[in-house]
Amino acid sequence: MTIYRDRRKREFIAKLSISNYQLTINHYLLQTQFIYQHNSKMQIKELLNGFSEGKVAKVRGRLISFRPHGGSAFGHIKDSTGRIQIYGKVDKLSNFAEFLHLTLGDIIEVEGELFLTKTSEKTIFLSSFSILTKPQNPIPKEWYGIKDVELKHRKRYLDLLVNEEVKERFEKRSKIISCLRRLLDEKGFLEVETPMMHTIAQGAEAEPFLTHHNALDLSLCLRIAPELYLKKLIVGGLDRVYEIGKTFRNEGISTLHNPEFTILEAYLAYANYNDMMELSSWLISSVAKEVLSETKIIYDSNTIDLAPPWKKLSVFPAIEEAVKEEVKDLEDCARVCEKLNIKEIEDPFKTLVDRFVQPNLIQPTFLVDFPAQLSPLAKKRADDPNIAERFEIIIAGCEIGNAYSELSDPDEQLENFKRQGKVDYDFVSALSYGLPPTGGLGIGIDRLVMLLTNQTSIREVILFPLLKPNEEVRNVVIPK
RNA sequence: GGGCCGUUGGCUCAAUCGGCAGAGCAGGGGACUCUUAAUCCCAAGAUUAUAGGUUCGAUUCCUAUACGGCCCA
């Protein structure tokens, strides 16, 4: 449903000779040609690359600037690959009058001879043009862009159209993800898809979104992590698996949290958390090298070098150093929180780490030696049963990833589940068939993209971040 | 959940101490045959987020609500 803001515009459109129906037909024919005639597929970048004066070319794009002067007019059209100048002249273009009626945002097809203007700009001298789609609402001008953050998020299509750097940022996101895939594929990892609807929310400490399957009359929740299913695949002999996909946590929204976010989880059999340190630093530095052609990045005024090896930091000594108190275990954490007058917190350990340790870790750091009690799916260290073989990846003061040697003992897993108060017997059963020593890694893709695109809000790297419906949406959507 | 800030035409922004809501761009009409943020002329476009309150008078001050941003939890 379109909201017509500009009444005059709407009336003007109504007077146009081309009906919407015809536009649709035109467009459909074009799509058909697109499929069957290979040479009609040309995009602007291709045209610019193969540019030679005198050649005749046909391209399609959106009109982003228009400068008529009487008997001629210049403009620019752009598609996803680039932009090119077009030039129409009254004696060359039979429908020149209609040409002069073009407005910014019109989606047109143009055909003509290529030439260079006197400033040597590559230009198409139009012999014909046609309107493929006539927008009913105006498109803001690129020069001014869209700055209103709410508008940028609600109408991302306008943000993408008008703000070039936004388009580039999301292209970069896409490259980062495809690069991660390629790197893992090359190492023999198999990409898999596991259920997003779970009967028990497991794999992380988070509130799930609840839903229901009607035919089975079954209560389900959206996954808060893919972890357990992926480990079942390791039991099943798929020794190297990974999944990149959405995960859902029914929690607050912040510059670091969106209720649905993208996670990469990778599991490697016959490996432990040390191997995962190697894998994760290699992955992240390789992605940076490939996408930014540099392992040194600038993030929020810090220069960060992602090249391995990364620093390792034991978490309890790090807390001690930060709060200048003796902190050896979880009781100490609770005591320190009390002493510092930090109240109403669920997890004193996490609070101290988040507040006092993490913010100071700008360069990539493996934060190691997490308490076993807070790591119910991780293997305990052989020399210290209170400590898990687990680490978090901290870069620019932000938790980017989490990994451990996977717990493979079904009895111990069952005990851990019971202590948490929710038991996934299905998973315990899977473990009872034998999980090889396995290293597991989770990386928050959105945060990684933030890091590599120098964005301080997660909403700037998610195309459509969750927003409360505003009046416009509520008025249109609610059917009751 | 708490604190602070914001919301003015389609977009980007003004509006002095509480005193006639204004500009640029976009959109409409006109002039202009190598422009590129084209230029020039004309006309139009606003329930200042919403609902109240104070006041002779509110974009401006107060209260509540909605949405957003940042910070904290």
Side-chain angles (χ1 to χ4, degrees), chain A residues 394-431:
Chain A
I394 314 293
I395 308 175
C398 174
E399 183 195 336
I400 300 287
N402 181 21
Y404 30 86
S405 302
E406 301 300 334
L407 176 58
S408 55
D409 181 334
D411 296 332
E412 201 180 321
Q413 186 66 78
L414 181 61
E415 284 313 305
N416 290 352
F417 278 156
K418 281 181 175 165
R419 207 179 57 234
Q420 279 186 301
K422 50 179 179 181
V423 180
D424 189 332
Y425 288 103
D426 199 32
F427 180 65
V428 175
S429 173
L431 288 187

Side-chain angles (χ1 to χ4, degrees), chain A residues 229-294:
Chain A
Y229 279 100
L230 290 169
K231 280 195 269 194
K232 285 179 184 176
L233 296 178
I234 299 285
V235 171
L238 305 181
D239 290 340
R240 300 176 180 195
V241 293
Y242 73 96
E243 178 163 10
I244 295 177
K246 282 287 178 68
T247 299
F248 309 85
R249 296 186 185 173
N250 203 343
E251 289 167 350
I253 293 175
S254 78
T255 46
L256 290 175
H257 301 87
N258 194 61
E260 57 176 304
F261 61 101
T262 304
I263 198 168
L264 160 68
E265 283 202 5
Y267 290 82
L268 178 59
Y270 312 110
N272 60 24
Y273 76 138
N274 288 312
D275 299 301
M276 300 325 275
M277 287 190 209
E278 233 178 279
L279 178 66
S280 53
S281 57
W282 172 75
L283 270 177
I284 291 176
S285 61
S286 302
V287 166
K289 212 179 293 175
E290 191 133 337
V291 176
L292 308 174
S293 45
E294 266 250 62

Side-chain angles (χ1 to χ4, degrees), chain A residues 173 177 180-181 184 191-192 194-196 202-204 223-227 230 242-249 258-267 399-404 441-449 458 462:
Chain A
R173 180 186 169 117
I177 292 171
L180 285 169
R181 283 207 164 91
L184 287 165
E191 182 173 8
V192 296
T194 63
M196 292 206 191
Q202 280 289 13
R223 70 178 178 192
I224 57 172
E227 176 155 357
L230 290 169
Y242 73 96
E243 178 163 10
I244 295 177
K246 282 287 178 68
T247 299
F248 309 85
R249 296 186 185 173
N258 194 61
E260 57 176 304
F261 61 101
T262 304
I263 198 168
L264 160 68
E265 283 202 5
Y267 290 82
E399 183 195 336
I400 300 287
N402 181 21
Y404 30 86
L441 165 70
I443 291 178
I445 295 294
D446 310 281
R447 290 184 184 181
L448 180 63
V449 175
I458 198 168
I462 292 174

Side-chain angles (χ1 to χ4, degrees), chain A residues 428-440:
Chain A
V428 175
S429 173
L431 288 187
S432 74
Y433 290 95
L435 178 76
T438 298

